[in-house]
Amino acid sequence: MTNLIAVLHRMVGTKEVIAGLLGPLIKEGRQTRIVDLGSGSGGIMPDVLEYLELEYKSDNWELVLTDLYPNDERVQEFKKPGGGNISYFEKPVDATDLNLAPEGLKTMINCFHHMEPQKARKILRSAQELKQPILIYEMGENNIPLLIWWLLLPLSLCILIIMALVMTFWVRPISWQQILFTYFIPIIPICYAWDGQASLPRMYTMEDLDLLIGELPEADYEWNKGSAFKKNGKKLGTYLMGLPAN
């Protein structure tokens, strides 16, 4: 499923959007290390780093992938020669307590909606208290009334199942398990479709984010949020960014 999500990111151009949000901060010299939270098998952030290096013609930046349950296979993969400026932190990192995370500009890509409000608030509070910059990005947006979501659900699930069957051709490297559980025992397409649809009503709206931020104590820290855009002006997702005031 995470392989399919990475393929979808590449198809719609998510790396360009995320790089556009991170680029100015990196250009200003605020950080040279990006620490991704909830990385899973890696996601789109390795592509984002490559895009930044090409865009700004520099290879001085570092990407550290982290997760509460580190992916051992990916940990070993990034240890191999030729891994470049990307590493996978071997110890578990709980995003609600960033004291345990490596120093750097924190990112959470398409996983903030998995956090219930209490945990989401702890993540924001931890970043603010430690004066750690953080970018939270969601490719989707919770802008469909729940009744409409229910009515369209059967059609939406069918579309996503078909998409999963097609996108598997672009998964690299592809394993026999991916093929088996996609085309012969279609567990992956069904779970991918449900995960994609169930995530939409769980995503925090702008009003929800205002409530979460409003419950934080006052601090020398700034929050801003909004829609994210590609270079061509096309809207693709939403973001919440927190930065130390200086």
Side-chain angles (χ1 to χ4, degrees):
M1 285 173 58
T2 56
N3 289 338
L4 291 177
I5 293 171
V7 171
L8 180 62
H9 277 302
R10 296 185 184 106
M11 286 182 168
V12 300
T14 305
K15 66 179 181 181
E16 177 187 320
V17 176
I18 299 172
L21 294 168
L22 294 176
L25 303 180
I26 294 174
K27 191 175 181 180
E28 290 171 8
R30 291 201 181 201
Q31 295 287 343
T32 57
R33 177 191 286 170
I34 301 170
V35 179
D36 189 50
L37 306 169
S39 301
S41 61
I44 194 62
M45 286 307 295
D47 291 5
V48 172
L49 182 68
E50 181 181 358
Y51 187 93
L52 285 168
E53 290 175 341
L54 292 173
E55 184 77 6
Y56 292 95
K57 297 178 175 58
S58 174
D59 58 359
N60 295 326
W61 304 307
E62 176 188 0
L63 171 63
V64 181
L65 305 173
T66 73
D67 202 273
L68 184 59
Y69 306 102
N71 186 307
D72 293 335
E73 184 178 341
R74 297 292 277 171
V75 168
Q76 298 306 317
E77 182 177 333
F78 284 115
K79 277 186 175 181
K80 296 178 182 177
N85 297 340
I86 305 175
S87 61
Y88 205 125
F89 198 62
E90 296 185 51
K91 297 180 180 179
V93 172
D94 186 345
T96 63
D97 184 5
L98 296 180
N99 275 305
L100 305 177
E103 288 287 326
L105 193 162
K106 306 298 187 298
T107 57
M108 287 193 74
I109 309 301
N110 277 345
C111 58
F112 194 63
H113 63 271
H114 289 296
M115 309 298 166
E116 57 190 34
Q118 184 178 3
K119 285 188 176 181
R121 195 177 301 110
K122 285 183 178 180
I123 293 171
L124 303 184
R125 181 189 292 270
S126 184
Q128 180 173 287
E129 289 178 346
L130 296 173
K131 298 293 189 291
Q132 294 286 300
I134 186 169
L135 169 67
I136 295 168
Y137 173 80
E138 296 281 6
M139 183 171 60
E141 188 173 358
N142 184 0
N143 57 2
I144 301 175
L146 194 58
L147 177 60
I148 303 298
W149 178 84
W150 275 111
L151 292 174
L152 294 177
L153 185 59
L155 176 61
S156 302
L157 291 175
C158 290
I159 292 173
L160 287 176
I161 288 173
I162 294 172
M163 286 178 58
L165 296 173
V166 174
M167 290 192 302
T168 301
F169 288 104
W170 280 269
V171 172
R172 296 290 184 278
I174 192 165
S175 64
W176 66 265
Q177 294 98 327
Q178 186 104 28
I179 295 173
L180 174 65
F181 293 109
T182 296
Y183 298 110
F184 297 95
I185 308 174
I187 295 175
I188 293 176
I190 293 171
C191 292
Y192 172 81
W194 173 249
D195 180 69
Q197 280 305 294
S199 294
L200 287 176
R202 295 186 63 182
M203 290 181 181
Y204 290 97
T205 65
M206 293 297 163
E207 292 75 15
D208 295 331
L209 294 176
D210 284 335
L211 288 173
L212 291 175
I213 296 169
E215 293 172 351
L216 299 177
E218 291 188 11
D220 194 22
Y221 197 87
E222 299 173 354
W223 292 99
N224 64 81
K225 63 188 186 311
S227 298
F229 295 89
K230 299 174 68 172
K231 283 185 177 180
N232 60 10
K234 184 177 179 180
K235 181 179 175 181
L236 185 61
T238 60
Y239 74 93
L240 172 67
M241 185 180 293
L243 296 170
N246 63 347

